[in-house]
Amino acid sequence: MVSSTHWLASQAAMRMLELDGNAADGAVAAGLVLQVVEPHLNGPGGDLPLIVASADDPTPRVLCGQGPAPAGATPEHFAGLGLDRVPGSGPLATAVPGAFDAWMVLLRDRGTMTAREVVAPALHYARHGHPVLERVARTIETVRDLFTDDWTTSADQWLVDGAPPEPGTLVTNHAWADTLERLLAEEASAGGTREQGIDAVRRAWSQGFVAEAVGVFARRPFRHSGGQVLPGVLTAQDLADFEATWEDAVTLDWRGHTIAKTGPWGQGPALLQVLQMVDAAGADDPGTVEGAHTLVEAWKLAMADREAWLGDSAEVPLEDLLDPAYAAQRASLITATASRDLRPGSPGGREPRVAAQALAVDGATDVDATVGEPTVTREGETRGDTCHVDVVDRWGMLVSATPSGGWLQSSPFIPEVGFALGSRLQMMWLEPGLPSSLVPGRRPRTTLTPTLVLRDGIPVLACGSPGGDQQDQWQSVFLLRHLVAGLSLQEAIDAPQLHTTSFPGSFHPRATEPGVVVAETRLGREVLDGLRERGHDVLEQGPWTLGRLCAVAVDPGTGIVSAGANPRGMQGYAVGR
């Protein structure tokens, strides 16, 4: 079974499974197709965390394709440019590209096929075209003036006679197709084993022509989200110094299941905190006033802890953050009235510290279209965010992956290689001494957060969602509906969604909206009015506007596999046999 955010990616993964490939082969094929057909949501120059486990090797393992800050990305450099924060877009906002290498490492270590086999669908769509999504065209329209006035290489790639492509017309990316062909030529000439061929592809990326072209282009001055025209600091050596790494997952035993997430360089541990707080508070039905209120308040507390404690730092007190006693203490702060305060806790008795800029509440919601992962407008319109893919094969391997970054609107298109760089550095603070402070070689505390679930030590469920700061919030609703209430995958995905924005956002301008809850009208008048009575500022959205869940599952007892896909936006797709 496969579920992803685009039907072509799901079908590409399914083709690999039909050819006797496994879940890793399928996930790589899907991920590479997503880079081509959803260029406003992810790209080769972006980021990728994923989690994988199998019946034969059930210990969940995280593959980190989140690139770190370049060597030249120092707070002193930004201060010297007159900047008090990392811009939301442009060359200065880029971390080291990590997505492509991570896909290749997954293929090498857990897959069975060659790079040429899994690259074939993406190469076809890049070379011969694919029907462009309406959302891609709309995204290009929002940044058309920037493209024509400054990011002219992006204009050359994405504009047709000065305008966005018409939805449904064929769009190609010949430069990326050429890059893929050159990379595959390295595999063909490497000789030796399958793994050696894939490593030859990786070398050509990180130490060869790709790194050279990226390093030269990144030092060109371009307009950033604040209007400044400046060069970046990323170099070819930064790419050479990076490789995707395997890590242990962070896990929580909960309700008869083990929930596996990435380490504290992602926001995943916050989900584990919330599940514990919901248990401690004794309200686990988000379809009731009490359950929705409790969940929202738990997320406010967990996100306050995210701001104070999570990041790519050896000092993160993860064991104390996930201590059941700490969860109970935090849950005791949840009262019948909505909180509007940012209340980080003191795990292990430590004194919390939050970035000074994170305490500046401005409530800004309308920002430059180039910054961050725009998710849902106040009118409920989905402008784009990121991607997700889940795969389960007939041998019981599951992969949950959330690729993002390198959007066409995040940085200028590099014509020599056919992709844009990402803007993940905007999640780092220039203020020193924080877990998420900008330090060369340190990973940004990403919002990307795949999930893998085990039962009795056997992997049974992979799920995830696009959505920036909302990713784990929406997943918590899904997990409560599926694992606790017993809804099927599709029923749990379809169920009404909600989230809060009452904490500092991860993306520029890092705004907080105290007390705000964003909710689908399908939650019902009783719940929505009940939340208002408890002091929440409820922003009602259309009935099918929030949540972007994908999920696949396997029953180890019967071997039956299942999947569900998000109906919102009519783009997600689940397929299997």
Side-chain angles (χ1 to χ4, degrees), residues 274-286:
V274 165
L275 295 177
Q276 288 184 301
M277 281 189 269
V278 167
D279 272 1
D284 58 16
D285 184 355

Side-chain angles (χ1 to χ4, degrees), residues 182 203-219 234-237 239-240 414 416-417 419:
R182 289 184 66 180
R203 283 193 301 275
W205 171 275
S206 64
Q207 301 172 38
F209 74 97
V210 174
E212 180 181 351
V214 169
V216 171
F217 190 86
R219 307 307 283 261
L234 184 70
T235 67
Q237 189 60 47
L239 272 74
I414 306 174
E416 291 81 6
V417 287
F419 59 85

Side-chain angles (χ1 to χ4, degrees), residues 2-4 8-17 21-36 42 44 48 50-52 63 99-123 125 176 180 184 187 194 198 201-202 246 388-392 397-403:
V2 183
S3 179
S4 86
L8 289 178
S10 295
Q11 290 286 18
M14 196 65 215
R15 172 170 171 77
M16 301 304 125
L17 298 178
N22 64 15
D25 300 315
V28 177
L32 296 175
V33 168
L34 288 171
Q35 293 174 352
V36 176
N42 81 136
L48 170 64
L50 63 84
I51 310 178
V52 60
L63 181 59
F100 185 82
D101 188 65
W103 284 127
M104 290 298 104
V105 170
L106 176 63
L107 180 66
R108 181 195 67 187
D109 295 349
R110 302 300 287 262
T112 66
M113 306 178 88
T114 65
R116 178 163 291 279
E117 288 173 309
V118 299
V119 166
L123 176 57
Y125 292 126
W176 178 235
L180 288 175
L184 294 176
E187 178 185 49
R194 182 187 72 93
I198 295 170
V201 172
R202 297 177 59 230
W246 289 104
H388 189 80
V389 58
D390 298 309
V391 187
V392 57
M397 177 187 288
L398 290 99
V399 178
S400 175
T402 310

Side-chain angles (χ1 to χ4, degrees), residues 295-353:
L295 185 62
V296 166
E297 292 302 295
W299 270 113
K300 292 176 186 177
L301 294 167
M303 290 306 210
D305 275 353
R306 183 190 77 171
E307 291 307 306
W309 301 111
L310 297 189
D312 187 17
S313 168
E315 283 74 50
V316 175
L318 197 57
E319 184 175 347
D320 290 325
L321 284 169
L322 298 181
D323 188 317
Y326 179 71
Q329 182 270 321
R330 296 291 277 160
S332 71
L333 300 177
I334 299 174
T335 67
T337 303
S339 171
R340 293 173 177 267
D341 299 323
L342 188 69
R343 300 181 289 173
S346 300
R350 300 168 180 83
E351 188 67 25
R353 179 184 158 201

Side-chain angles (χ1 to χ4, degrees), residues 75-87 92 228 230 430:
E76 294 77 17
H77 180 77
F78 283 87
L81 297 173
L83 300 173
D84 66 349
R85 65 184 68 200
V86 178
L92 275 172
Q228 306 92 339
L230 298 165
L430 298 185

Side-chain angles (χ1 to χ4, degrees), residues 219-310:
R219 307 307 283 261
R220 290 176 55 182
F222 284 98
R223 187 172 301 280
H224 288 71
S225 56
Q228 306 92 339
V229 178
L230 298 165
V233 296
L234 184 70
T235 67
Q237 189 60 47
D238 289 318
L239 272 74
D241 290 340
F242 172 80
E243 63 177 338
T245 53
W246 289 104
E247 303 178 3
D248 293 333
V250 176
T251 61
L252 172 72
D253 291 332
W254 180 77
R255 300 289 184 102
H257 295 82
T258 300
I259 316 297
K261 301 293 290 183
T262 71
W265 49 266
Q267 65 177 338
L271 172 63
L272 306 184
Q273 288 185 270
V274 165
L275 295 177
Q276 288 184 301
M277 281 189 269
V278 167
D279 272 1
D284 58 16
D285 184 355
T288 66
V289 176
E290 184 66 26
H293 169 77
T294 298
L295 185 62
V296 166
E297 292 302 295
W299 270 113
K300 292 176 186 177
L301 294 167
M303 290 306 210
D305 275 353
R306 183 190 77 171
E307 291 307 306
W309 301 111
L310 297 189

